[in-house]
Amino acid sequence: MADVLKRVPVREQDAKERAANFEEVCYGYNKEEAMEEAARCINCKNAKCITGCPVAINIPGFISQVKEGNIEEAYKVIGESSALPAICGRVCPQESQCECKCIRGIKGDPVSIGKLERFVADYALEHDIKPAKADKTNGHKVAVIGSGPSGLTCAGDLAKLGYEVTVFEALHELGGVLVYGIPEFRLPKEKVVKKEIEKVKELGVKFETNVVIGKSTTIDQLMEEEDFEAVFIGSGAGLPMFMGIPGETANGVFSANEYLTRSNLMKAFDDNYDTPIAAGKKVAVVGGGNVAMDAARTALRLGAEVHIVYRRSEAELPARVEEVHHAKEEGVIFDLLTNPKEIHVDENGWVKGMTVIKMELGEPDASGRRRPVEIPGSEYEIELDTVIMSLGTSPNPLIASTTKGLETNRRKCIVAEEENGQTSKAAVFAGGDAVTGAATVILAMGAGKAGAKGIHELLSKK
Amino acid sequence: MYKILKAEKLAANIYLMDVEAPRVAKHCEPGQFVIVKMDEKGERIPLTICDYDREAGIVTIVFQPVGASTTKMTNLKAGDAFRDFTGPLGRPSEFVEEDVEELKKKKFLFVAGGVGAAPVYPQVKWLKEHGIDVDVIVGSKTKDLLILEKEMEAVAGNYYPCTDDGTYGHAGMVTTMVDELVEKGNKYDVCVAIGPMIMMKFTCLTTKKHEIPTIVSMNPIMVDGTGMCGACRVIVGGEVKFACVDGPEFDGHLVDFDNAMKRQQMYKTQEGRAMLKVQEGDTHHGGCGNCGGEN
């Protein structure tokens, strides 16, 4: 008899093996494992897990279907709230959302809600189960800017209500951070992202790639010349930050965005693709978020010795616990309480090393985290050929600067109402990282849902 | 897909294409560029907009095969298509936003090197259409490599072709032509120099000497071209700028050309390897990429 306090373990690729390939690390549950794990859910009347989910999926509802082996029914329950379950089941930080509210977690492991959601969604992808579509269109045209998680969710929700939705994407592939940011080994592109987006297409949503709003056309022109009655901006926060230290424009210094875009979107790791990547032999990734972990594990797979250089201690690492754990297993070295001061460049303009300084934690700052302070005289030099800067991103100002009457705050984020996404401009809504700054996939989805609700409230009155 | 309506060879190593891209054609202005991706496995490469027809929805691009992708591109014919064609990108030239009456008071000098004649052409044409005649110097190694002569002559006020080997027009570098024009008593308020980095660097040294404010169009390595990666960063006046969104045009007297030229070399060996792969076709077995010879 299995121990009900412990979750059914999930099968993973061996750490040594996977450190040298781009295949998915976690294999997920099979049907037997999923049904066994689902049986641990006690189907609470007043289910706390739902309150932890930003899109409020009926979690006990879908899990009780899994328990019975009715996977198609379970998929329908999830589909009422989420358009991208195969993605969220993989990349949501469940430990701080649904799973941290699970009653089972008080005396044992919480139910593996994320892995169950993933199983149901993968099953639907494999068995080509289609989402429920609107009977007919209502004739209202809506434009969605950006095909990341918030845009896809907003578009999917509106299409289900009968709207004629067109999504405009600046890049040549759909998915935003799901295709250029999150690596293949965490989120397979062909097998999961593409197929999940196909499901949004099946709802009737149209997509136009290679359209840079603010350049190829503007929001005002979409509304005035192309008859879109409302617009949802889900353009994300894709502008990388640099430190401003000497040597930062040297060859071999990348933003994590560039490094990951080359590897994920352009598939530079695959010799059959034309885009090159400078793999490096010894790489420092500066930063401690999920993006830093992704960049570090990518560099590792390209054959480098990789160091995470982070100015605070392990407890403050903003990355998901699971990702830090995976990175360590694979051999990423953590240089904690360490901060770069200067990048050294050889006579050909390439990185040859970096001076770093040791830090200690001082008083808590405004955000409540203990502020790192330099330890005087503790500088030392490390030898390197590649530095990847992963210091966070901010919204691209292009859209705000070309849209009349669209208010932004001092961090260049678009100002929008939380409950319906309404911006300072009539019939223009916004959500996701474009409003909050860099956050999570599921929060962006939640904002996409709110935006769809706001747009529906506005246009159904017409 | 973006259909190629015309493909022709302008000179030994320079190609022109008309591409159907209505959104780009409708919105592009002089000074901007596009990013193209040939096929599924191709890379994204930035290319110059040479001309546009808003009504017909056509954008004209001009390119020079320098690496594997652009070499492959030379095989494309009319009727073929690009998988992706994004733009317009970058900021338009500053004068596009200026008051035309103010512009008319200024004397412009354009200096183009090699394939740089292509991005210079729409700027000169725009000014001509707004009633402003400008002086244009176009330089190339030899007569056969001069492009867009007829077109340029039709829109330039004074047109000064130069060849390094003296086979046509003025004999010598574009910089000596700049010196000559200034020594003859010509006064210029603005110089716009576009071409290889080394040519822009030396043009800037020349115009600095003559105290002519100079704009250059930077051509660094790019990936997305929309400001999300910083691959194209250049140092201008000590500050880091992204050429794809802050430029590509900058004050040439403030650009750190030496840094920019070093950054341009970043993928040189990889590009060399990719190039071999294209030339050798199926006989290529990745030997050069895996032997580690140059390390």
Side-chain angles (χ1 to χ4, degrees):
Chain A
M1 185 64 199
D3 182 355
V4 292
L5 295 181
K6 288 235 164 68
R7 53 175 48 170
V8 175
V10 66
R11 287 164 293 117
E12 282 180 354
Q13 207 192 144
D14 175 73
K16 269 216 189 79
E17 228 165 83
R18 73 179 191 241
N21 68 45
F22 280 82
E23 306 294 314
E24 193 170 18
V25 168
C26 175
Y27 291 135
Y29 286 147
N30 60 29
K31 193 168 173 185
E32 291 70 42
E33 291 162 340
M35 285 172 69
E36 192 186 336
E37 177 65 15
R40 295 180 60 234
C41 173
I42 52 176
N43 203 1
C44 306
K45 271 234 155 52
N46 183 11
K48 291 276 192 295
C49 53
I50 301 177
T51 65
C53 172
V55 295
I57 292 173
N58 178 358
I59 294 166
F62 95 79
I63 290 183
S64 57
Q65 295 293 349
V66 176
K67 214 183 285 183
E68 304 299 323
N70 303 329
I71 313 303
E72 194 162 344
E73 287 306 310
Y75 179 70
K76 279 186 195 151
V77 176
I78 297 174
E80 288 162 15
S81 316
S82 170
L84 310 166
I87 291 162
C88 289
R90 285 175 166 83
V91 303
C92 273
Q94 289 102 5
E95 67 271 15
S96 57
Q97 293 175 337
C98 54
E99 292 178 12
C100 78
K101 307 267 178 162
C102 175
I103 298 293
R104 275 269 181 227
I106 297 170
K107 241 177 75 183
D109 291 339
V111 174
S112 280
I113 301 166
K115 298 285 188 290
L116 287 173
E117 179 189 24
R118 170 186 158 156
F119 165 72
V120 170
D122 283 359
Y123 181 94
L125 290 180
E126 276 158 34
H127 294 80
D128 200 25
I129 299 166
K130 294 203 177 1
K133 199 177 159 175
D135 300 333
K136 57 176 177 38
T137 62
N138 61 19
H140 291 298
K141 276 179 79 178
V142 179
V144 171
I145 315 302
S147 67
S150 71
L152 286 174
T153 303
C154 182
D157 275 19
L158 287 169
K160 280 186 207 162
L161 291 166
Y163 288 88
E164 290 178 22
V165 186
T166 305
V167 178
F168 295 95
E169 167 58 47
L171 289 173
H172 61 272
E173 294 286 353
L174 303 171
V177 78
L178 306 172
V179 292
Y180 76 73
I182 303 174
E184 187 73 20
F185 53 83
R186 280 217 289 142
L187 185 61
K189 309 300 164 223
E190 294 291 324
K191 204 179 101 203
V192 177
V193 180
K194 265 213 174 124
K195 283 195 186 162
E196 197 106 298
I197 293 171
E198 277 307 311
K199 294 211 179 288
V200 180
K201 279 187 192 160
E202 275 160 18
L203 292 171
V205 175
K206 289 198 207 89
F207 289 91
E208 220 186 297
T209 51
N210 299 321
V211 180
V212 184
I213 300 299
K215 294 285 181 189
S216 312
T217 186
T218 63
I219 287 177
D220 291 302
Q221 283 164 335
L222 285 177
M223 298 178 86
E224 286 158 21
E225 296 168 16
E226 298 189 36
D227 304 322
F228 287 101
E229 296 162 77
V231 177
F232 178 80
I233 305 170
S235 52
L239 205 70
M241 292 186 228
F242 285 93
M243 292 187 84
I245 57 173
E248 230 174 352
T249 57
N251 290 350
V253 182
F254 303 91
S255 70
N257 264 13
E258 179 186 351
Y259 201 77
L260 291 170
T261 297
R262 283 181 183 275
S263 180
N264 299 330
L265 178 71
M266 307 310 294
K267 305 210 184 328
F269 65 83
D270 183 338
D271 199 37
N272 294 315
Y273 287 76
D274 295 341
T275 302
I277 192 163
K281 291 197 171 63
K282 194 170 170 194
V283 176
V285 178
V286 182
N290 285 318
V291 177
M293 298 306 138
D294 287 344
R297 295 170 70 198
T298 297
L300 193 90
R301 282 159 171 77
L302 292 170
E305 174 189 319
V306 184
H307 293 249
I308 289 269
V309 175
Y310 179 58
R311 62 195 181 127
R312 290 183 159 99
S313 73
E314 176 148 4
E316 288 82 19
L317 280 170
R320 284 189 68 186
V321 177
E322 188 182 332
E323 301 310 323
V324 175
H325 173 71
H326 278 152
K328 280 188 178 167
E329 272 186 342
E330 289 164 11
V332 172
I333 302 157
F334 283 71
D335 297 345
L336 300 165
L337 289 164
T338 306
N339 207 31
K341 295 286 278 183
E342 183 179 353
I343 294 165
H344 305 291
V345 187
D346 70 15
E347 65 277 9
N348 298 318
W350 274 92
V351 173
K352 62 172 183 182
M354 188 161 80
T355 298
V356 295
I357 188 164
K358 295 301 288 178
M359 312 289 279
E360 59 189 352
L361 293 179
E363 294 300 306
D365 64 11
S367 74
R369 289 195 302 178
R370 292 177 63 193
R371 209 162 53 86
V373 193
E374 291 182 355
I375 302 173
S378 67
E379 290 96 340
Y380 64 99
E381 206 172 304
I382 44 179
E383 235 179 82
L384 295 166
D385 57 17
T386 305
V387 179
I388 301 170
M389 291 293 178
S390 178
L391 310 157
T393 52
S394 63
N396 193 321
L398 190 58
I399 285 176
S401 66
T402 55
T403 308
K404 276 176 248 141
L406 189 67
E407 199 186 315
T408 54
N409 66 20
R410 60 179 173 79
R411 293 184 302 136
K412 301 214 168 77
C413 297
I414 296 169
V415 178
E417 303 280 346
E418 205 179 317
E419 71 272 19
N420 62 7
Q422 177 67 57
T423 67
S424 58
K425 188 176 168 80
V428 176
F429 298 75
D433 288 3
V435 170
T436 57
T440 62
V441 169
I442 190 76
L443 282 175
M445 287 183 56
K449 284 199 102 56
K453 188 170 145 265
I455 289 172
H456 183 50
E457 276 165 6
L458 175 79
L459 296 186
S460 56
K461 272 189 256 152
K462 273 195 178 179
Chain B
M1 300 292 268
Y2 301 82
K3 207 168 152 195
I4 298 166
L5 302 175
K6 183 168 102 180
E8 70 176 86
K9 197 170 178 176
L10 291 183
N13 208 21
I14 303 175
Y15 296 77
L16 174 146
M17 281 176 188
D18 281 350
V19 182
E20 201 171 58
R23 282 199 193 274
V24 185
K26 191 173 170 201
H27 293 274
C28 64
E29 297 285 0
Q32 294 187 294
F33 63 95
V34 292
I35 283 203
V36 305
K37 186 167 176 286
M38 249 178 80
D39 50 35
E40 179 66 30
K41 292 182 176 160
E43 57 181 328
R44 294 169 66 95
I45 35 180
L47 293 177
T48 289
I49 295 173
C50 173
D51 205 353
Y52 45 87
D53 182 336
R54 299 206 198 283
E55 252 77 81
I58 295 168
V59 176
T60 305
I61 53 169
V62 167
F63 67 95
Q64 201 166 16
V66 286
S69 296
T70 35
T71 302
K72 256 197 261 176
M73 257 176 66
T74 61
N75 297 324
L76 294 175
K77 297 177 295 293
D80 292 340
F82 287 101
R83 184 187 184 276
D84 301 288
F85 193 93
T86 312
L89 298 169
R91 293 188 176 186
S93 302
E94 225 169 76
F95 60 75
V96 172
E97 308 284 331
E98 268 179 78
D99 181 69
V100 175
E101 291 314 307
E102 288 301 307
L103 270 182
K104 282 181 178 165
K105 292 178 198 159
K106 288 186 189 170
K107 184 76 183 153
F108 277 79
L109 173 67
F110 283 83
V111 184
V115 76
V120 161
Y121 173 69
Q123 303 201 14
V124 177
K125 185 181 169 191
W126 188 97
L127 288 161
K128 175 82 182 171
E129 282 167 358
H130 288 79
I132 301 154
D133 279 343
V134 302
D135 286 0
V136 181
I137 301 173
V138 179
S140 80
K141 282 202 183 90
T142 182
K143 180 176 192 297
D144 297 342
L145 294 176
L146 272 174
I147 56 165
L148 303 169
E149 274 226 280
K150 256 195 350 263
E151 291 83 353
M152 199 69 93
E153 255 177 294
V155 292
N158 296 302
Y159 172 67
Y160 305 102
C162 308
T163 49
D164 294 357
D165 64 0
T167 42
Y168 182 70
H170 169 89
M173 305 278 192
V174 289
T175 45
T176 56
M177 192 69 220
V178 174
D179 282 334
E180 205 172 289
L181 289 175
V182 172
E183 276 153 26
K184 268 196 212 155
N186 285 295
K187 295 250 182 293
Y188 296 105
D189 300 292
V190 189
C191 172
V192 179
I194 309 180
M197 287 229 202
I198 190 79
M199 167 265 171
M200 292 194 285
K201 176 182 169 176
F202 280 99
T203 304
C204 285
L205 290 173
T206 306
T207 55
K208 189 147 198 186
K209 187 176 72 189
H210 300 303
E211 295 178 345
I212 308 168
T214 300
I215 293 160
V216 295
S217 180
M218 298 302 283
N219 44 3
I221 288 171
M222 285 190 190
V223 183
D224 64 290
T226 62
M228 61 172 257
C229 85
C232 65
R233 56 199 194 276
V234 289
I235 302 174
V236 183
E239 272 181 67
V240 175
K241 301 276 184 191
F242 290 5
C244 72
V245 287
D246 301 320
E249 298 191 343
F250 294 104
D251 180 340
H253 294 158
L254 297 178
V255 168
D256 183 340
F257 282 106
D258 295 337
N259 175 270
M261 282 188 273
K262 277 181 182 158
R263 281 188 67 79
Q264 229 181 13
Q265 303 300 312
M266 192 164 0
Y267 289 101
K268 218 176 171 197
T269 55
Q270 262 141 322
E271 229 166 53
R273 289 171 194 168
M275 187 83 167
L276 274 177
K277 207 166 129 183
V278 170
Q279 288 166 352
E280 295 172 9
D282 290 340
T283 62
H284 178 88
H285 298 294
C288 64
N290 300 326
C291 70
E294 66 253 85
N295 298 318

